[in-house]
Amino acid sequence: MSPTTVPLHLGTHAPTAGVDLSGVAAVGDTLFVAPDEGSSLLALRRDGPGWGSPDEVPLGEAVDLPGKPGEEVDAEGLDVVDGCLWVVGSHSPKRRRVKPGTDPADVPARLARTSAEKSRRLLARLPLRDGPDGPRPAPGAGARLPSGRRGLWGALADDEHLGPFLGIPGKDNGFDVEGVAVLGERVVLGLRGPVLRGWAVLLWLAVRVEGTELVLDGIDKVFLDLDGLGVRDLARAGDDLLVLAGPTMVLDGPARVLRLPGAAAAPLPPAIPREEIETVAELAVGVGCDRPEGLAVLPEGLLVLHDTPAAHRLDDETLLGDLWPPAM
């Protein structure tokens, strides 16, 4: 089994302009994608075999965002269910990057600098309304989880497994949310990190809507033996839950799509061993590029998008994703 390519005509939003895509979700002829910078999504329309006509979707017009105006949301996961678009940010602190050419004497000080940005602590439910260009989040109609003690951060502060990792940046195996899937009354978050002794983590959240706020009523943890990999995205496929798995650290692989049979239809046990997880596809990665980052279930198959896409995937305004045969 091998993929074909599908073009995403992104115009000035293409990765050649320094923009990578993280989360992705489809509804009808509209594809929502999450750039890795800023506080907006992009909405694309079907365009022959691919997608085009990019339209910027500012999240701040639909919901009151955490943090300061203009700060990066770092949206990592998207899902559309029952007429609502769900968006989750990484929640992860950042560590300063060491850029090429940095004086070696300056490296230790740069690596010592971290920042925890509340703007990344976003979990939001955005009702969609139809328009001439397809569905868009209704202005001011969104609800989000608080970013403080009544939100995810506060609920996990004393957690025996995850609490010690909240202050550690995601790319250092710290706390990092990378996928969301809404399964009935549960919102499932996939963690890129931490991976604990080879076991990745899903968070099953019980949430309800009260006006412009999501109220968190409880959290269950599910541990997955993913051979040491973390969760890079989640997607529903019928009664199953698909997991895009990849490294927690900045590495070139491995990466694969996995299936949790029946996970979208019934509660999961506290832990799932590797022999109960099916492999759907082994994904190719590049050297320093082409790291699978986004997963969406389309009628024609599974769409996989890549962080730091390789040169062969790009021209000035177009990105090529991979389309795998249907997983069902």
Side-chain angles (χ1 to χ4, degrees):
M1 184 172 63
S2 60
T4 58
T5 57
V6 56
L8 277 64
H9 305 292
L10 300 173
T12 58
H13 304 284
T16 47
V19 177
D20 283 320
L21 302 180
S22 298
V24 56
V27 53
D29 288 333
T30 297
L31 190 74
F32 290 103
V33 294
D36 67 346
E37 296 182 354
S39 56
S40 296
L41 305 179
L42 294 177
L44 307 177
R45 297 278 290 172
R46 278 200 180 271
D47 182 9
W51 305 81
S53 304
D55 181 29
E56 190 168 349
V57 181
L59 291 171
E61 293 182 2
V63 69
D64 178 35
L65 296 176
K68 299 176 182 179
E71 286 187 329
E72 180 186 18
V73 168
D74 196 24
E76 292 286 354
L78 305 176
D79 194 14
V80 179
V81 63
D82 295 334
C84 291
L85 172 65
W86 290 78
V87 184
V88 67
S90 69
H91 286 69
S92 175
K94 293 194 302 185
R95 189 179 302 279
R96 290 291 297 274
R97 180 180 302 176
V98 178
K99 299 179 181 179
T102 299
D103 187 329
D106 295 333
V107 171
R110 181 171 285 270
L111 290 177
R113 298 173 190 165
T114 63
S115 59
E117 299 177 357
K118 288 186 177 180
S119 60
R120 293 172 164 225
R121 302 177 193 174
L122 176 69
L123 175 62
R125 174 186 178 271
L126 311 178
L128 297 172
R129 68 179 186 186
D130 289 328
D133 297 319
R136 295 291 188 273
R144 71 169 174 87
L145 205 62
S147 58
R149 61 181 180 84
R150 292 185 295 111
L152 186 63
W153 204 259
L156 296 175
D158 296 322
D159 184 84
E160 60 182 343
H161 297 107
L162 303 176
F165 292 89
L166 292 182
I168 301 174
K171 292 181 175 61
D172 300 339
N173 196 40
F175 186 79
D176 189 1
V177 181
E178 292 259 343
V180 61
V182 180
L183 311 178
E185 297 181 354
R186 288 278 183 164
V187 177
V188 183
L189 303 182
L191 303 188
R192 173 175 174 172
V195 170
L196 306 177
R197 195 69 181 188
W199 291 75
V201 185
L202 298 180
L203 297 178
W204 288 59
L205 277 55
V207 298
R208 53 190 166 86
V209 182
E210 287 191 358
T212 59
E213 185 172 300
L214 296 178
V215 178
L216 181 61
D217 287 330
I219 301 178
D220 292 322
K221 291 172 290 189
V222 177
F223 293 92
L224 308 177
D225 184 357
L226 304 185
D227 295 326
L229 300 178
V231 177
R232 304 303 295 266
D233 207 356
L234 298 172
R236 291 170 291 109
D239 288 341
D240 302 336
L241 182 64
L242 300 181
V243 178
L244 176 59
T248 63
M249 315 292 275
V250 185
L251 299 172
D252 290 331
R256 54 185 64 106
V257 178
L258 304 169
R259 186 204 319 267
L260 305 183
L268 289 179
I272 303 178
R274 184 64 180 91
E275 59 267 23
E276 296 180 12
I277 302 173
E278 300 176 7
T279 298
V280 175
E282 294 283 350
L283 308 180
V285 298
V287 177
C289 63
D290 250 11
R291 296 167 179 145
E293 179 80 5
L295 177 68
V297 176
L298 306 180
E300 60 268 37
L302 303 180
L303 176 64
V304 175
L305 301 181
H306 300 76
D307 185 22
T308 317
H312 73 269
R313 295 189 182 277
L314 303 171
D315 64 20
D316 289 342
E317 297 187 349
T318 301
L319 168 69
L320 294 179
D322 282 345
L323 186 66
W324 290 80
M328 302 304 293

